[in-house]
Amino acid sequence: MSEMETEEKKYDRILNILRKSKPQLTGMEDIEEKVLNRIRVPDKAKLTLSDLLDYMFSWVYVGWVRRSLIAASILIVIVFGYQQAMILKRVNSLTDRTIFTESMMVTGGSDEIHDKLLLYKLTDRKSHDKQIKISERQMKRLIEAVNELQLKYDDLMRMIEENPDLKKYIDERLTEENREKLKL
Amino acid sequence: MVSPFAFSVAFRILGDEETAKDIVQESLITVWKKLKKIRSSDSFKTWIYRIVVNKCYDQMRKMKREPGFRPDEQAWSVISNHISENPVSELENGETARIINLLTEKLSPRQKTVFVLSDLEEMTPDEVSAITGMSKRNVKANLYYARKNISSMINKYV
């Protein structure tokens, strides 16, 4: 007889013995009496901790509830991990941006292209990366800003021309060089 | 009518007579309290088994492993003696508990429960699945590991 068959036989024999040896319940009357006593006396409002835990968590013994909870917790962990990765990415990109505090130019609020141009100017026309990448949308905004600036400049010049006192004042204040620049 | 089979399951899972009697008592009280929830008489026995098994799980969590527990040489010899007998005689409660505890020493609570219900109580996978709340695939997997573990224990010591 092969070894495997012998092992199987041993296993089957032991199982057979255990199956035949049904546990014998003794003291049945005691159990019945205790149960009847508990049933007769109405349960008082007092809750034991194990009763409370049983009441709160007995639903986890239901198979589909347990599986759903496991799936939900895995999903929550994945979503959390993804959110953390996004936050980290955003923080890293923010630290790369240079933040300037200065008065707003007439073109309005600051945006990325504005920051890049200002940086370009401040670093004596030497760009950080030797080049600046801008999108078509940013180019359009730049052109609009320039046009707006041109209009405001024209308005300012007209105001100065219409007001001789103002023109005189500005003439006195400006140096020759600056006068040339402003084309007064 | 409920008590004998409830006791059999509880005793075989927990391996202690007094604890098993407490489980039977608690289960009967729970049955009495929740009798209204029974939908049909067909599921009555499954429902009772489920209550008993859940209470056994709670008990197993409370029970602490004895430190330094080792397979008992004497208990293994009891097994050997009984195997060699012909015809095989029945074991007493104490011997049964000892042998089951030895064989299932390294099993998880779920594996042990599945083994007891399938191989000792001779239930079908469907019945075990309904009682434990596990899928049939999980029942079969747990049973496979339980049998493998027990066979290796038997081959080592018997």
Side-chain angles (χ1 to χ4, degrees), chain B residues 100-146:
Chain B
I100 293 177
N101 285 341
L102 274 172
L103 293 175
T104 58
E105 184 206 357
K106 289 182 181 170
L107 300 185
S108 69
R110 284 154 70 94
Q111 287 169 351
K112 187 173 182 179
T113 305
V114 168
F115 166 72
V116 166
L117 293 176
S118 301
D119 281 2
L120 300 184
E121 296 293 321
E122 298 180 275
M123 291 185 189
T124 63
D126 284 332
E127 287 170 327
V128 177
S129 170
I131 290 166
T132 58
M134 289 186 232
S135 64
K136 266 168 57 177
R137 189 195 285 184
N138 273 350
V139 167
K140 287 178 184 172
N142 277 299
L143 186 59
Y144 168 78
Y145 285 116

Side-chain angles (χ1 to χ4, degrees), chain A residues 111-176:
Chain A
D111 62 9
E112 205 178 328
I113 182 67
H114 170 258
D115 291 339
K116 282 183 179 168
L117 289 172
L118 191 56
L119 179 64
Y120 181 75
K121 187 180 168 189
L122 286 175
T123 55
D124 197 20
R125 297 176 191 276
K126 284 177 189 162
S127 170
H128 211 40
D129 300 320
K130 304 284 180 200
Q131 63 180 356
I132 299 170
K133 287 181 192 170
I134 57 171
S135 65
E136 197 180 318
R137 182 180 63 85
Q138 286 169 331
M139 180 56 84
K140 279 184 186 170
R141 284 174 73 180
L142 183 63
I143 293 166
E144 280 169 17
V146 167
N147 290 338
E148 203 182 320
L149 186 61
Q150 183 66 48
L151 285 171
K152 286 185 181 346
Y153 174 76
D154 292 340
D155 283 343
L156 184 63
M157 287 293 112
R158 197 176 58 245
M159 270 172 65
I160 294 170
E161 287 296 320
E162 285 171 4
N163 193 337
D165 290 333
L166 182 59
K167 188 177 176 182
K168 190 181 170 188
Y169 175 76
I170 287 169
D171 271 342
E172 282 167 11
R173 302 296 284 188
L174 286 176
T175 59
E176 198 53 46

Side-chain angles (χ1 to χ4, degrees), chain B residues 1-132:
Chain B
M1 203 177 152
V2 168
S3 306
F5 71 80
F7 178 74
S8 172
V9 168
F11 181 83
R12 282 167 163 170
I13 290 175
L14 297 172
D16 181 73
E17 195 167 336
E18 287 310 310
T19 316
K21 283 181 182 173
D22 291 339
I23 295 290
V24 168
Q25 185 186 316
E26 292 300 321
S27 301
L28 289 172
I29 292 167
T30 306
V31 165
W32 169 258
K33 285 181 185 172
K34 297 186 179 177
L35 212 52
K36 291 172 198 172
K37 292 188 182 176
I38 302 275
R39 289 191 200 107
S40 74
S41 58
D42 294 339
S43 59
F44 182 70
K45 203 167 180 181
T46 307
W47 180 66
I48 294 178
Y49 269 123
R50 196 182 300 139
I51 292 172
V52 172
V53 164
N54 287 340
K55 290 201 183 289
C56 287
Y57 276 145
D58 291 339
Q59 189 59 36
M60 281 194 273
R61 269 186 239 116
K62 284 181 203 170
M63 277 159 85
K64 290 175 186 174
R65 279 185 84 92
E66 289 172 31
F69 178 76
R70 287 287 177 269
D72 190 339
E73 288 284 339
Q74 208 174 13
W76 286 118
S77 65
V78 167
I79 302 173
S80 301
N81 291 341
H82 277 279
I83 292 176
S84 58
E85 279 172 11
N86 201 3
V88 170
S89 61
E90 285 182 21
L91 301 166
E92 292 174 359
N93 277 0
E95 287 177 323
T96 308
R98 234 163 153 187
I99 291 169
I100 293 177
N101 285 341
L102 274 172
L103 293 175
T104 58
E105 184 206 357
K106 289 182 181 170
L107 300 185
S108 69
R110 284 154 70 94
Q111 287 169 351
K112 187 173 182 179
T113 305
V114 168
F115 166 72
V116 166
L117 293 176
S118 301
D119 281 2
L120 300 184
E121 296 293 321
E122 298 180 275
M123 291 185 189
T124 63
D126 284 332
E127 287 170 327
V128 177
S129 170
I131 290 166
T132 58

